[in-house]
Amino acid sequence: MMSQGITPAVSGTKRTTGSKGERSATRDSKRSRSNEKDAPLTSQVVNSTAEALKIGKNIIVKIGKEKFKLNEQEDRPSRLETSGKERKVEKQKGKGVILYKEFTPANKWIRQPDHLTSSEWRLALKMTANVCPLRAIPGRSRDGNHCRRCVSEIETLGHVLGACPFSETLRNSRHQRIRSMIAEALRKKGLTVREEVHDISQEGSCRRIDMLAIPLGSTSAYIIDPTVRFEAQEQQPTEVHSEKCRIYEPTVPFYLEKYHLTPIEVVGLMVGARGTIPRLFVSFCKKFQLNNDFIRDVSLAAIRRSLAILKYHLYFVS
């Protein structure tokens, strides 16, 4: 029999040594020794990773620069061609402004825009300075300098007002308006005026003149061909007159025989697309006693029709 003062041992229990604080200190010391062993390896890994990242960054930057250069070359395939176009555009500013001084009363609309709306007046001033929002102006378009409508020429103001096929109908309307104004003014002065007269030249080709004006009681006549041109340089009106003479002088024998006339004079009249009036046009008006008010009306008609062409080119959406 067992004694009452002795406690029997319990089977299956683990034997523990030391206190809880001692066991924690032992674990910490083991960890520190492990960290000391791994520290050189960790430092080496960190250094190699940083070096790799630095090399990778340099490679990425280099690749990015090369890609940017390639994209820039694709966007601008020919820098020589682009610089040539830019030089051509720079010459457009101030082009033809010398013709504004040949008949200054026609410039009255700049100070007194009584016959133009505020929006027409502002756009007309931009036409005068050749700073309309067209692609020829550097920085106006990211799609290049070529015309947004026909894509065949650089989109200058001269191209829009005088050559772009997109506005051909409006240009013909502008021409017909100027021609009708001159014909009506000559009729009021007693001349017989026939418009759009068909004829046959000496070469056998069929032509059509704008006007044949015959003074009352006279056997002389005038073949009058007005044209609206974008102002380019000072000698342009004289060149236009010479051009019309070359075209229509071969038709003179046809009219001499048909209308029993004696001398026939060919007159080529230029009106500026921006409303300028050359001296040759003023001399023609003085010859037939057409006053300055009529000349200003012609100038305003040219400006209004040119504004319509420009707005149609810029803002028409099909």
Side-chain angles (χ1 to χ4, degrees):
M1 292 183 64
M2 296 181 2
S3 170
Q4 294 180 356
I6 300 173
T7 304
V10 180
S11 61
T13 58
K14 293 183 179 179
R15 187 178 180 181
T16 57
T17 58
S19 64
K20 185 176 181 180
E22 292 175 351
R23 292 195 301 270
S24 177
T26 303
R27 287 195 299 268
D28 293 341
S29 62
K30 290 180 179 180
R31 288 175 183 172
S32 61
R33 285 195 299 270
S34 176
N35 292 338
E36 289 175 359
K37 292 180 181 179
D38 296 339
L41 179 61
T42 303
S43 177
Q44 184 179 1
V45 171
V46 170
N47 293 335
S48 61
T49 304
E51 185 177 356
L53 290 175
K54 185 177 180 181
I55 295 173
K57 181 180 178 182
N58 294 335
I59 293 174
I60 292 172
V61 171
K62 185 176 180 180
I63 293 174
K65 289 181 178 180
E66 292 178 353
K67 186 176 181 181
F68 176 78
K69 289 179 181 179
L70 290 174
N71 292 337
E72 190 178 24
Q73 291 175 0
E74 290 176 359
D75 294 338
R76 302 176 183 178
S78 174
R79 289 186 175 274
L80 291 176
E81 184 181 357
T82 303
S83 61
K85 290 179 181 178
E86 290 176 354
R87 286 196 296 271
K88 185 175 181 181
V89 170
E90 288 173 0
K91 293 179 182 178
Q92 296 296 317
K93 292 187 177 181
K95 190 174 184 179
V97 294
I98 193 169
L99 293 176
Y100 279 90
K101 72 176 184 179
E102 296 204 351
F103 184 72
T104 54
N107 306 329
K108 187 178 179 180
W109 64 268
I110 298 176
R111 301 184 306 274
Q112 300 176 1
D114 299 333
H115 302 283
L116 298 172
T117 65
S118 58
S119 62
E120 287 177 338
W121 181 70
R122 288 193 298 269
L123 191 56
L125 288 177
K126 291 180 181 180
M127 284 201 310
T128 300
N130 209 346
V131 291
C132 295
L134 298 172
R135 290 184 173 184
I137 298 179
R140 290 296 310 185
S141 173
R142 299 180 62 182
D143 298 328
N145 291 335
H146 283 81
C147 178
R148 71 193 72 186
R149 302 298 182 180
C150 68
V151 201
S152 61
E153 298 290 340
I154 295 177
E155 194 181 69
T156 61
L157 185 59
H159 170 74
V160 173
L161 298 182
C164 184
F166 183 74
S167 305
E168 184 176 3
T169 302
L170 291 177
R171 283 201 307 276
N172 291 338
S173 176
R174 180 183 62 186
H175 170 79
Q176 291 168 3
R177 175 57 181 162
I178 300 297
R179 184 201 66 209
S180 298
M181 291 179 68
I182 296 173
E184 187 62 28
L186 292 176
R187 290 190 183 103
K188 290 180 179 180
K189 295 298 180 180
L191 281 78
T192 301
V193 181
R194 291 180 171 87
E195 299 180 61
E196 298 288 338
V197 184
H198 292 267
D199 57 59
I200 301 175
S201 67
Q202 290 177 327
E203 294 84 4
S205 61
C206 294
R207 297 188 182 277
R208 182 176 61 185
I209 63 173
D210 280 339
M211 282 182 284
L212 180 66
I214 305 173
L216 184 63
S218 175
T219 58
S220 62
Y222 300 90
I223 294 176
I224 304 171
D225 193 275
T227 183
V228 182
R229 300 282 178 91
F230 182 78
E231 302 88 343
Q233 41 89 16
E234 190 172 8
Q235 300 302 321
Q236 190 177 8
T238 305
E239 293 174 357
V240 168
H241 173 71
S242 301
E243 173 190 330
K244 299 301 181 181
C245 289
R246 288 193 303 270
I247 294 173
Y248 295 112
E249 280 180 352
T251 66
V252 168
F254 175 84
Y255 292 108
L256 290 175
E257 182 179 355
K258 182 176 180 179
Y259 294 102
H260 306 288
L261 301 170
T262 47
I264 295 180
E265 180 182 351
V266 179
V267 180
L269 296 176
M270 173 187 160
V271 177
R274 293 178 287 181
T276 60
I277 303 295
R279 294 189 185 95
L280 286 177
F281 190 94
V282 177
S283 300
F284 170 84
C285 291
K286 289 180 178 180
K287 183 175 182 178
F288 293 97
Q289 299 177 358
L290 303 176
N291 58 26
N292 288 353
D293 291 336
F294 166 76
I295 301 176
R296 282 195 294 268
D297 290 342
V298 171
S299 173
L300 284 172
I303 292 172
R304 288 198 192 96
R305 300 292 171 137
S306 294
L307 288 172
I309 293 170
L310 181 59
K311 289 179 180 179
Y312 181 70
H313 183 91
L314 291 174
Y315 308 121
F316 176 78
V317 178
S318 59

